[in-house]
Structure formats: structure tokens, C-alpha cells
Amino acid sequence: MADKKAQLIIEGAAPIELPVYSGTLGPDVVDVRSLTAEGIFTFDPGFMATSSCESKITFIDGDKGVLLHRGYPIEQLAEKANFLETCFLLLKGELPNAEEKQKFESTIKNHTMVHEQLKSFFNGFRRDAHPMAIMCGVVGALSAFYHDSLDINDPHHREISAIRLIAKMPTLAAMVYKYSIGQPMMYPRNDLSYSENFLHMMFNTPCDEKKISPILARAMDRIFVLHADHEQNASTSTVRLAGSSGANPFACIAAGIAALWGPAHGGANEAVLRMLDEIGDVSNIEKFVAKAKDKDDPFKLMGFGHRVYKNFDPRAKVMKQTCDEVLSELGINDPQLELAMKLEEIARTDPYFIERNLYPNVDFYSGIILKAIGIPTEMFTVIFATGRTPGWIAHWNEMISGPYKIGRPRQLYTGHSQRDYPSK
Ligand code: CMC
């Protein structure tokens, strides 16, 4: 497998030869695993230069703004595939044919309800709890309800868990919302598509069932597609790390949800809207941009920048187009959108942002669309989690299906040397 070799020369020691591998695409990687035998560790906080695994699922070229799932560009998937086809692709490696598509959709529909007893779980949470706090709890709790699919070494069990998670996430997400506003929880409807069903459970009530707008259902579906996977980001790496100890898939996805919650990751979509609220008016933009540039101020422009994309985020491009479509079709003239566009313009012409390659990311536009659909801000990251679920499961499954080791990073210790407990 090694195409080339690298040599590591440490002063005073013999050179160490390390294999270098080439993937299908992307930079070569140096295999440093043999270094432990030499008594050496590598140091890479934030994993800026570390490949934690081999994967066949998603490829990103951050310099060119390319995102491929199983080889297919995200722009093509967003235009031509629906979310469940994208799930199938991520999980199985190929797009489904017509028969496989129909079978997969119907299997997902068969698992959309959650155990009736799970409802009582919600009552333990305060009504004003953040929806992500409840999601961490209830998704983890699925393992207490679905014991029959917890043997991670059985491919059939892994498949059932994958189906259950993808099918039940929208139901749980809508239940969280209904709980927070005190409305009855809505059962899923299997005559609706995945995204229509989600909007039905979110916005309908038993006494008033409206037809879901196809424009909004399409926009919702596209948001799910655009969030479906993003290779080894913080939450996916968390899912893999949790899974590497042999933890069950529901517990691993709950861990991923927790990692996603932070404002530097999935929580950014909520943070963008809060930031726009705080800016309030176009006349305040300069002040906030100056704050973002100030080294002594921790404030960052939410929705800008990305660890991997140092060019445009291809998801942001599609998201912006969807945003324009949704707002114009719904006839919404949102002053926050005007504010967002002005902010984007200033940030994209300011040398600080240009020099650091800080482009608007996917979260910059998704919040505006979600707001137009009527989704409350606190639910934005829950939507991200619902969309990201197939990616998390695909990575977890890929890891469990092959040889893997428990994830156990090492450290550069800079604390005290050994010392004795003081005598009294
Ligand atoms: N506003 C102002 N300055 C920024 C921003 C920003 N949004 N993002 C990065 N910088 C600056 C940063 O201060 C640093 O400056 P300097 O070189 O002078 O020290 C430089 O740009 C490099 O940034 P970094 O923080 O070292 O980059 P990173 O790869 O560690 O962080 C990031 C990436 C996404 C965490 C960061 O850009 C950020 O916090 N952005 C805002 C939050 C956000 O929108 N997150 C969503 C990411 S997309 C959704 C997802 O995939 O999760």
C-alpha cells in the first residue's frame, strides 16, 4: 500500500523510515504508527494535520471548494437527489436503483414512530430546556428502548439501528419542539415524504392539519441533503471515537449531537441569527466587523470561516441559491436578509477576511431559510443533527465493519515531575 517513503531525522538518532500512502484524491499521508516503538509521539492539537482513519465516504478539497459524497459532487446531489437517496448513498456506497429507493423509503417509513413510553421521558425536562439538551438525552435513551439491535458485531443489527436512527430523528426533533410550546406531539404520517412528514409533525396539530407547502418541503429536504455528511469533523470524529470503545450506536450518535451543539460547529446556525439580532441594523455592521477583527475581543463573525474550506464552502453556494428561491417564492422581504447580505459584502471585501480566506459557510444562509420556513432559532442545530445523522452512522458503520482500534491519543505532558506528598 505504501507508494513512497519519508524519513524522520531526529538529532543524534538514526533516521526513521516511515511509509507514505496516497489516497484516491487528496494529500499523501505519512504513517507515523511505528513511532511509538521508537518512544516518540507526534504533536497535533486540533488535528490540523492528522488523518484519524481511512475512509471511502466523503472527500473535501478545501482549497478548491469541492465536496464529494461517494464521488458525487454535493451540487449535483442537492439538485437531483432527495435526502433519503443521499442517506442510501452514504450508507451503502452507491445510489439506489428505483426498486432499492422504493424499498429503502418504505423501510424508513416503517420505523418513524418512537416507543410510546419515550414520550414520558420528555416530562422530566423543563419546558424551556434547550432542544439540543433534550436531543442529547432522548437519542441516547433510544438504546434503552431498542435492545434488540445493539450487537455492534452483527451487520443486521447495525443496519436496523441505522434505519431506526434516520427514521426517528425527525420524530424526536418535532417532539422536542412540540414539548417546548406545549402542543400535543404529532404522530408521523407515512403517506408523506421524509421532509413533508417532518414539517407536518412540527407545524400541524390534531385539530388543524394543513397541507405542507411543496416549496417548503423541498427547501427542508435540500437543507438535510446539504448537511448529510462532512467527513471527519468534530461531531463525526466524536461518533467514531465513542464507537471505537464498542459503545452502542444510539449512545455514539448522542455523543455526536453533544459535539455538534457548540457554536464553532453546528451551533453556528443559531449563533448567526442571534448575531444578526444583536447587530440589529445595517448602520451597526462596521462596529461588529471591527470587533471581529480585534485580537483582544473573542467575538467572531458567526457563519464565516471553516477549518477545511479556504475557498468558498460549496454547500453555502447551494444554500444561498435555495435561500433566494424560498424567500422569493414565499414573497418574504426579510430585513435580516438584507443585513446578512451587507455583512457578507463587507466581510468579503475586507482585507482581514480576504487574507485569512474567511468565506461565508453553510450556517450563514441555512438559518435564514429555516427562519423563513418558520423553524424557531433554538431548533436550528437540531435540524443540523437530523441531517447529519446518516453521515454519522455511515462513518460509525465503516469503522465497525473493518479492523479498528480504540481511539486513544497521547499527549505532550508539561505538568509537574513526580513529587512527594508534603509531610504534615
Ligand atoms: N470571524 C473573525 N475572525 C475569524 C473567524 C470569524 N468567523 N474565523 C476565523 N477567524 C480568524 C482567526 O481569529 C484567526 O486569525 P489569526 O490568524 O489572526 O489568529 C484566523 O482567522 C484563522 O482562524 P482559526 O480560528 O485558527 O481557524 P480554525 O480552522 O481553527 O476555525 C472555525 C474554524 C469554523 C471554528 C472558525 O472560523 C469560527 O469560529 N467561525 C465562526 C463559527 C462558524 O461559523 N462555525 C461553523 C463552521 S461550518 C459548519 C460546520 O461544518 O460545523
Side-chain angles (χ1 to χ4, degrees):
M1 186 177 163
D3 306 305
K4 295 178 216 159
K5 290 204 182 329
Q7 268 200 346
L8 176 67
I9 299 169
I10 298 177
E11 240 176 56
I16 303 168
E17 208 157 82
L18 300 167
V20 179
Y21 309 135
S22 299
T24 332
L25 298 166
D28 287 349
V29 300
V30 181
D31 183 345
V32 294
R33 283 176 290 181
S34 62
L35 287 181
T36 45
E38 309 282 341
I40 296 166
F41 300 145
T42 54
F43 182 59
D44 184 21
F47 307 120
M48 305 282 288
T50 295
S51 304
S52 59
C53 61
E54 182 188 330
S55 181
K56 294 182 168 50
I57 302 171
T58 289
F59 172 76
I60 301 174
D61 184 334
D63 294 328
K64 297 198 182 112
V66 170
L67 169 60
L68 311 176
H69 293 323
R70 303 284 190 183
Y72 295 104
I74 189 65
E75 295 85 347
Q76 291 181 24
L77 291 172
E79 192 195 328
K80 296 180 180 154
N82 67 23
F83 180 61
L84 288 186
E85 276 176 278
T86 309
C87 292
F88 187 99
L89 174 70
L90 289 168
L91 294 173
K92 312 223 179 227
E94 294 297 336
L95 285 166
N97 61 30
E99 195 190 326
E100 288 168 331
K101 184 174 171 214
Q102 194 272 330
K103 193 167 166 234
F104 186 69
E105 284 179 0
S106 104
T107 311
I108 292 285
K109 282 180 181 176
N110 275 332
H111 286 88
T112 46
M113 281 201 297
V114 294
H115 195 291
E116 201 59 14
Q117 218 183 321
L118 198 81
K119 270 191 193 168
S120 48
F121 232 82
F122 283 81
N123 297 328
F125 291 99
R126 284 171 56 135
R127 294 250 175 216
D128 60 355
H130 193 285
M132 285 295 277
I134 305 183
M135 285 303 278
C136 291
V138 292
V139 173
L142 291 178
S143 47
F145 289 88
Y146 301 102
H147 306 268
D148 58 338
S149 64
L150 294 185
D151 180 358
I152 62 163
N153 298 314
D154 181 337
H156 182 58
H157 278 209
R158 294 205 298 270
E159 169 132 17
I160 295 180
S161 296
I163 298 286
R164 282 183 168 148
L165 276 158
I166 293 169
K168 294 179 198 311
M169 280 295 279
T171 312
L172 292 173
M175 286 169 89
V176 168
Y177 174 57
K178 289 296 195 188
Y179 180 72
S180 73
I181 57 170
Q183 282 186 2
M185 292 165 180
M186 296 294 286
Y187 286 108
R189 263 184 45 192
N190 289 354
D191 58 323
L192 300 176
S193 73
Y194 190 88
S195 298
E196 278 172 334
N197 180 44
F198 173 60
L199 295 177
H200 152 74
M201 291 186 289
M202 281 288 292
F203 298 119
N204 279 337
T205 63
C207 48
D208 186 15
E209 284 209 20
K210 295 199 178 67
K211 192 177 159 5
I212 299 302
S213 147
I215 301 163
L216 299 191
R218 175 76 194 119
M220 195 66 247
D221 203 75
R222 198 174 269 184
I223 288 176
F224 287 145
V225 171
L226 291 173
H227 285 102
D229 189 40
H230 215 225
E231 51 117 309
Q232 314 309 325
N233 54 81
S235 57
T236 304
S237 298
T238 301
V239 170
R240 278 188 181 257
L241 197 54
S244 76
S245 73
N248 75 70
F250 302 109
C252 296
I253 301 305
I257 293 174
L260 185 76
W261 192 359
H265 192 9
N269 52 14
E270 182 178 341
V272 168
L273 263 270
R274 297 210 187 287
M275 176 187 76
L276 293 176
D277 272 345
E278 213 189 321
I279 297 176
D281 188 79
V282 176
S283 61
N284 295 325
I285 288 182
E286 293 285 358
K287 196 171 80 198
F288 279 85
V289 170
K291 258 168 83 63
K293 287 158 53 174
D294 182 353
K295 278 248 162 280
D296 300 323
D297 192 322
F299 175 79
K300 282 189 173 169
L301 277 192
M302 288 293 128
F304 283 82
H306 199 274
R307 166 60 63 80
V308 182
Y309 294 120
K310 300 303 172 195
N311 195 320
F312 67 87
D313 176 342
R315 302 168 302 169
K317 245 185 169 179
V318 183
M319 202 64 99
K320 181 172 175 4
Q321 193 193 328
T322 310
C323 184
D324 293 342
E325 279 165 24
V326 170
L327 295 181
S328 82
E329 288 192 61
L330 292 178
I332 293 178
N333 201 356
D334 186 344
Q336 263 188 342
L337 181 68
E338 195 200 334
L339 193 61
M341 295 307 121
K342 190 80 192 148
L343 188 64
E344 181 197 332
E345 188 190 311
I346 294 181
R348 290 185 68 164
T349 48
D350 187 305
Y352 173 94
F353 291 87
I354 296 171
E355 282 158 20
R356 289 169 180 75
N357 298 312
L358 299 171
Y359 290 83
N361 57 47
V362 68
D363 287 327
F364 188 68
Y365 302 104
S366 63
I368 295 164
I369 311 178
L370 290 172
K371 189 178 168 215
I373 293 177
I375 311 262
T377 315
E378 316 77 67
M379 284 294 292
F380 288 2
T381 316
V382 174
I383 306 283
F384 193 151
T386 305
R388 183 55 55 86
T389 298
W392 287 331
I393 304 168
H395 283 274
W396 172 80
N397 200 32
E398 181 178 63
M399 181 183 71
I400 304 286
S401 313
Y404 66 98
K405 286 179 109 52
I406 186 167
R408 182 35 171 112
R410 305 306 295 254
Q411 63 175 2
L412 168 65
Y413 177 70
T414 52
H416 284 287
S417 307
Q418 182 171 336
R419 49 185 175 158
D420 290 325
Y421 189 83
S423 47
K424 299 233 164 88

